[in-house]
Amino acid sequence: MKKSKITIVTGTPATGKTTVASAIAMRTHALYIDVNAIIKKEKLWVNYDKKRKAKIIDTKKLNNILIRIIKEARKKEISLVIDSHLSHYLPKKCVDCCIVTKTSLKKLKNRLKKRVYEEAKIRENMDCEIFDVCLTEAEEAGHKVIVIET
Ligand SMILES: Nc1ncnc2c1ncn2[C@@H]1O[C@H](COP(=O)(O)OP(=O)(O)O)[C@@H](O)[C@H]1O
Ligand SMILES: [Mg+2]
């Protein structure tokens, strides 16, 4: 068995990725990787979509950085829990387990409203959950997927 286990946690914003990823990292003594912090630190956006009020992330660059972190962790036999709705874009060979967080549409709407997102942003994230975008993409990428309902 591999000594270093790489877990990714993906899902629509506000479905509970950070909550689940931190809990798993703490309980399994793995290192929690905050991808949002990496994106900010490394300025990994290629553009800003004014209409969607969202940064377009350079997922290729992000993947390269995450792959480097994973290789280093494997060498040191450290386990990682990677928290990001972009984490499932990692190649399946780098990942041992892919968790997709999901929640009911009612709960999701309440959580998104609490984040004081604009109506269009709430709609976009609701659609993402309705169409199971992260789950479908993760399965299509060939990851071993576990769904956690929050
Ligand atoms: N299992 C859960 N049960 C109840 N509330 C949860 C659960 N997981 C997350 N939440 C709540 O949902 C909100 C969003 O969770 P968060 O982990 O920040 O989501 P994400 O990282 O996917 O955006 C938080 O207010 C959190 O307390
Ligand atoms: Mg989060």
Side-chain angles (χ1 to χ4, degrees):
M1 217 180 89
K2 277 184 215 160
K3 281 186 182 155
S4 145
K5 187 171 176 180
I6 309 300
T7 303
I8 60 174
V9 182
T10 185
T12 305
T15 50
K17 293 182 295 298
T18 302
T19 310
V20 167
S22 326
I24 293 173
M26 202 158 79
R27 284 186 208 176
T28 61
H29 306 286
L31 187 63
Y32 168 80
I33 303 289
D34 181 352
V35 174
N36 285 334
I38 295 176
I39 289 171
K40 267 189 209 150
K41 187 165 172 261
E42 305 289 335
K43 298 193 171 60
L44 293 179
W45 47 91
V46 279
N47 225 324
Y48 183 75
D49 186 335
K50 272 190 198 154
K51 212 166 130 200
R52 286 175 53 236
K53 295 211 166 129
K55 282 177 182 143
I56 317 285
I57 308 301
D58 188 337
T59 48
K60 213 170 159 185
K61 254 192 202 162
L62 174 62
N63 265 359
N64 287 338
I65 290 174
L66 291 177
I67 290 168
R68 220 165 49 218
I69 293 173
I70 290 169
K71 277 188 182 156
E72 201 60 29
R74 294 260 194 231
K75 228 192 288 171
K76 293 181 179 158
E77 300 188 346
I78 294 169
S79 293
L80 304 178
V81 183
I82 301 174
D83 170 11
S84 172
H85 68 289
L86 303 170
S87 61
H88 61 271
Y89 293 138
L90 277 164
K92 73 170 182 184
K93 66 172 194 285
C94 297
V95 176
D96 299 307
C97 173
C98 170
I99 290 171
V100 179
T101 48
K102 284 190 58 62
T103 196
S104 73
L105 297 176
K106 196 176 160 200
K107 279 187 196 158
L108 184 63
K109 195 161 195 179
N110 283 332
R111 290 180 192 174
L112 289 166
K113 274 186 182 160
K114 275 193 200 145
R115 290 192 175 176
V116 285
Y117 281 167
E118 282 183 26
E119 204 48 52
K121 190 92 195 157
I122 293 179
R123 187 69 256 162
E124 186 184 327
N125 285 325
M126 292 294 289
D127 287 347
C128 180
E129 188 65 5
I130 290 165
F131 292 110
D132 271 331
V133 174
C134 291
L135 177 60
T136 310
E137 286 181 354
E139 283 172 343
E140 278 174 3
H143 292 302
K144 273 183 227 152
V145 173
I146 296 173
V147 174
I148 294 186
E149 295 274 345
T150 66

